[in-house]
Amino acid sequence: MVAPLLLSLLTFLHGTELWRPVGPWTLRAGVSAGYSHYDGVDLNRTLVLLENLTREAAGTNPYAVKGFDGHPAAQKRLGVRRGPWNLDLEMEQWIETFHQSEVPFNLEDNDRDNRITCDDLRVQADRLTSLAGCIQASERFLFVPLTAQVSWMPAWTSWMRAGFGYGLGVLAGDASVTLDAQYLGPDAAPDDQITFAITPDPLVTPVHKWFASLEWVPTRFFGLELRGGWRLTHLPSFVLAEKQGSSQVFDAAFDYPETGDYLWIQAPGRNPEVQSIWIGSREEAVGRSSRYSYHAVEGNFDGWFLAGSVVFEWRFP
Amino acid sequence: MIDFAHYRSGKALSLAATLFLLSCGNGPSDVPWRPQTLSGPQTCVEGSRPDTVLAASLNLSIGFRVEDLLFIDQGSDSVVYRRVEGIYADAARSLPRERIRRIAVEIAALRPDLVGLQECLHLERDGKIVMDMLDTLRHDLDSLGLADYSLHRHALNPVDVVVGRPGGDSIHVVFHEGLATLVSPRWTVRRDVILPFKSVLSIELIGRRATSERAAQGLLLSAADGFHLESWNTHLEVLPFQRKNQATELVLVADSLRSELAIDPPAGRVLLGDLNSAPGLDADSLLTQAGWKDSWTDAGNRSRGPTCCVSNNRSATGSYETSGRRIDYVRHQGACRVDSTSVRLDSWFLTGSGDTLWTSDHGLVLARMIYGVRP
């Protein structure tokens, strides 16, 4: 907040020429790398609830979820500059992957307090009196915020620009999940695999960015920029999509979810602390609301970002 | 340069921004819980009139578990056929008539006010009844002089299917299980409801999707002396994530019905059931939080009191003591004192033909409670 105010004050001190888009047009291209932070409260809670589900389904959960509150982010930017004004189109990519491998389940003892492994189960597969198995799960999370940005970046000296800007755009993307299950024991089902996407609904969501930048311009063709700011975007819900294949263990855990079903956090009416993941339509949720409340899993990506950029410029004659 | 000050450009910008925001739309809004009028827990009222209730809970299981049907090769007729044949073999091997007779003898000796029964199985093969636990129990109780006890039953999980295998053999399977409450002649049953849980396990078998129905059976009982008793009977799912939800549903439906009935003077409350949850864990602790007190601990019983389970119901060895857990309960609200608790039918017996046999996978848990809820 302080930097933009100081810059505004300086602008008045320097006169209105600092506002005027005069002079030659300059084509700009840049790549940057940095960090995007957000709380992702619901998404983290979803991961924890899935971990609980795995533990409770067999008492054998071998992994613990580590929450996430952001990740490295890379941006590409293309735009023009005239006078102190920059007009850019920026594409950012958020990629995150998760793997949970060798997650065992064993219905012989749902309350076991000792930890077993998939290898333990495989060794005794012929002797199991009930059914057991192993799950390999992977998730790839890809979101792409695309923003048109306008920034005011006067050259305060021959080698330094500084200013602030605003970007408006859309956020789109999805999470794709693959679940491989191996079943062990007498009359075990054949191995199966299901893949599906978790997509936001609506597919695109507005993104706002406010930022301040400082750019070192040692030559007229090249600059190094440091940019930090605040992003505001919110995905109101997620829906199951592109379901392919089938999985007995997935269907048992989530009661045969179908494409188009939403992700909810279910909580009993008088015990809101007893939460679980539930997948279903809004109509089904309404039908169960005499016993439970349902909160649509949201993607809250509000948060700060910080990035360093390499910028190249070509001035038109 | 964009002339932001120009009127027409500003109008176009506003329109574009509006269209953009409209195109983004909204997903589903949250669905809040529809609150109902709910009673709080009933507690002992000091100085009230004492009313004694002897209550028991027994799961009649022979070891057939729904999870045995999970994750089998459901596309294979021969696998499904083999599993079904296994169920009939287990049923025959469990000597249901002898087991039920032993249970009836125990009940006749105890003469309890009420017994909550779970997993009351009915099984037919090609039109012939292989077992009907409740009909058998009814018959045996009648012969033992308990004809005036009433049996209030509700069937769950009905199955009527023909299972075939490639060789051409087929079995016409008719099955259901259920909940039942046996009520002594001391009581008039004023209300008998079955309230299915919404959180249940679904499975697909031979191309059909079925739900493992679970429910709470509620009875409102009145004694001739004016004492009212609200009795609940349930069997919670074996998978923890389901049974936790079912425990919360049980509390909710019980408190909702109590509020609706608004009995005066207030009824004592008893909950009989197989919670599939050991003391201190998920379902047990949720019920404790909701005011459902455990008669076992209230009686100061120092035994671990295991009530379950034996894997081989013909075994002459083993006991609940070695590996068992206490998952069957008599819980109460409004009892000022619990005189005694015990587990019965917790060892094998010899049938008339000299076979060793357990009456059930579970023991019968019994509690004598002294209620104090009416002036």
Side-chain angles (χ1 to χ4, degrees), chain A residues 252-288:
Chain A
F254 295 108
D255 197 9
Y256 295 85
E258 297 295 340
T259 294
D261 284 347
Y262 288 92
L263 259 66
W264 307 85
I265 293 173
Q266 172 183 272
R270 285 216 300 205
N271 296 84
E273 75 284 1
V274 184
Q275 297 180 343
S276 54
I277 292 295
W278 185 78
I279 304 176
S281 67
R282 189 174 199 283
E283 291 70 30
E284 289 174 291
V286 169
R288 297 162 63 101

Side-chain angles (χ1 to χ4, degrees), chain B residues 37-149:
Chain B
T37 308
L38 300 171
S39 74
Q42 177 66 52
T43 54
C44 157
V45 180
E46 291 300 330
S48 55
R49 182 172 164 178
D51 291 291
T52 302
V53 173
L54 182 63
S57 179
L58 176 63
N59 183 322
L60 300 173
S61 169
I62 57 161
F64 172 78
R65 307 188 310 163
V66 68
E67 61 268 27
D68 287 346
L69 296 176
L70 287 172
F71 312 137
I72 62 169
D73 187 356
Q74 296 170 352
S76 165
D77 289 345
S78 57
V79 165
V80 174
Y81 190 92
R82 189 160 60 243
R83 284 269 156 169
V84 169
E85 286 219 303
I87 290 169
Y88 283 104
D90 285 345
R93 192 168 176 275
S94 74
L95 305 175
R97 281 210 58 84
E98 283 80 355
R99 295 194 308 108
I100 297 296
R101 179 73 185 179
R102 176 76 186 83
I103 290 166
V105 167
E106 187 72 23
I107 291 172
L110 294 169
R111 302 237 165 203
D113 284 294
L114 63 167
V115 184
L117 301 166
Q118 305 90 36
E119 287 199 63
C120 309
L121 306 186
H122 170 96
L123 187 61
E124 293 177 29
R125 177 173 184 152
D126 299 327
K128 287 186 181 173
I129 294 176
V130 174
M131 72 163 81
D132 188 302
M133 292 181 167
L134 293 179
D135 283 353
T136 306
L137 182 64
R138 175 77 275 171
H139 173 270
D140 289 347
L141 290 172
D142 290 352
S143 69
L144 291 165
L146 272 66
D148 49 359
Y149 272 65

